[in-house]
Every structure is written in structure tokens, then in C-alpha cells.
């Protein structure tokens, strides 16, 4: 009949024997430190000036371009990021130039480590000095 109460249950069965916690391996060799986390920050050893074709250089004008580099244990840039380019056509030229840079690598606890660093490239129309600053 429709008047009969329905039966509900709050019983939930969970079989915990089939569950196993996933294992997470952390390879400490792949950690990339921030510049502030290392004992000895990287220093420049070979940093050719980032050059731009004349048309793009004129469009860039007076500007500051922030770049971020991941530097490996041997001092070579692994990843180069241009964080704010006023002219998008300048980005591949800047990346190409910065990939040729070399550094004395970072050290943490006496060991060479990978690290992220950030630089500001300063372009000035009227200056004959270096087009970048660190």
C-alpha cells in the first residue's frame, strides 16, 4: 500500500583493504630554487648584449623588459621567459640572446643547484651604454 513507510538505511560500506596510498617520489635533483633560497647566488660569466633588429629596436624605444631565467647546475639557461615585452616581435630575439648567457651556478649547502633568477633589461634610445642592467 502507499501508506507503508519506506525503509532507508544510513549504512555505508567501505572496503579499506583495496585502498593503498599512492607513493610519491621526489627527485631532489629536479628542484629549482629561487635566488633568495640559495647560499651563493649566480653570477654572470658570459652575457652578450641582447640585440634587436633596427625596426624592432625603434619600436621598443625606452623600456624595461623583465625576464626570468632557469639556470642549470652548469650555469646554462634552461628556460627563458620574457614577462613583459612592449613589442611581441622582440620576444624571440631576446630569448635567443639570453640562451647564450652563461653563469657561475648557484650553490646551496656547497652543492651546485638549479635556480630561477629575474633580470630587468633596460633599453634606452639615446644611450650608447649597455642596453641591459642586472
Amino acid at each position: 500500500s502507499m501508506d507503508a513507510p519506506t525503509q532507508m538505511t544510513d549504512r555505508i560500506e567501505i572496503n579499506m583493504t583495496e585502498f593503498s596510498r599512492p607513493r610519491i617520489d621526489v627527485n631532489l635533483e629536479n628542484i629549482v630554487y629561487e635566488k633568495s633560497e640559495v647560499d651563493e647566488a649566480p653570477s654572470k660569466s658570459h652575457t652578450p648584449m641582447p640585440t634587436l633588429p633596427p625596426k624592432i629596436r625603434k619600436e621598443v624605444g625606452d623600456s624595461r623588459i623583465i625576464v626570468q631565467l632557469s639556470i642549470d647546475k652548469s650555469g646554462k639557461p634552461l628556460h627563458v621567459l620574457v614577462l613583459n615585452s612592449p613589442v611581441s616581435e622582440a620576444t624571440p630575439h631576446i630569448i635567443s640572446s639570453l640562451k647564450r648567457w652563461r653563469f657561475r651556478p648557484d650553490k646551496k649547502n656547497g652543492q651546485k643547484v638549479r635556480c630561477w633568477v629575474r633580470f630587468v633589461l633596460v633599453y634606452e634610445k639615446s644611450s650608447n651604454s649597455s642596453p641591459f642592467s642586472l
Side-chain angles (χ1 to χ4, degrees):
S1 92
M2 299 295 276
D3 295 332
T6 58
Q7 289 188 336
M8 297 183 68
T9 179
D10 60 355
R11 184 172 174 218
I12 299 173
E13 292 185 31
I14 299 175
N15 185 347
M16 294 299 284
T17 59
E18 293 179 16
F19 177 79
S20 62
R21 172 175 271 164
R23 182 184 160 142
I24 300 173
D25 289 323
V26 177
N27 183 350
L28 297 179
E29 292 289 313
N30 293 327
I31 292 177
V32 182
Y33 293 93
E34 291 292 330
K35 186 178 174 182
S36 62
E37 297 175 309
V38 295
D39 303 329
E40 191 176 319
S43 59
K44 301 180 300 178
S45 64
H46 177 69
T47 54
M49 294 175 21
T51 56
L52 300 173
K55 181 180 183 241
I56 295 173
R57 176 66 189 95
K58 187 175 181 179
E59 290 179 41
V60 167
D62 290 333
S63 60
R64 295 176 175 267
I65 300 173
I66 300 170
V67 296
Q68 187 166 324
L69 307 173
S70 164
I71 301 170
D72 72 10
K73 292 179 185 182
S74 66
K76 296 179 185 175
L78 288 176
H79 305 284
V80 178
L81 306 170
V82 176
L83 303 178
N84 72 324
S85 179
V87 179
S88 62
E89 292 82 10
T91 299
H93 298 284
I94 293 170
I95 289 172
S96 174
S97 291
L98 295 181
K99 284 194 173 197
R100 292 191 303 266
W101 282 20
R102 295 297 176 262
F103 297 83
R104 286 178 203 88
D106 306 349
K107 288 188 179 176
K108 185 166 182 74
N109 300 326
Q111 300 292 318
K112 294 178 182 178
V113 295
R114 292 169 52 183
C115 183
W116 283 105
V117 293
R118 192 173 285 182
F119 296 98
V120 177
L121 304 175
V122 179
Y123 286 93
E124 296 175 346
K125 285 190 248 184
S126 59
S127 175
N128 290 334
S129 63
S130 173
F132 62 93
S133 68
L134 305 177

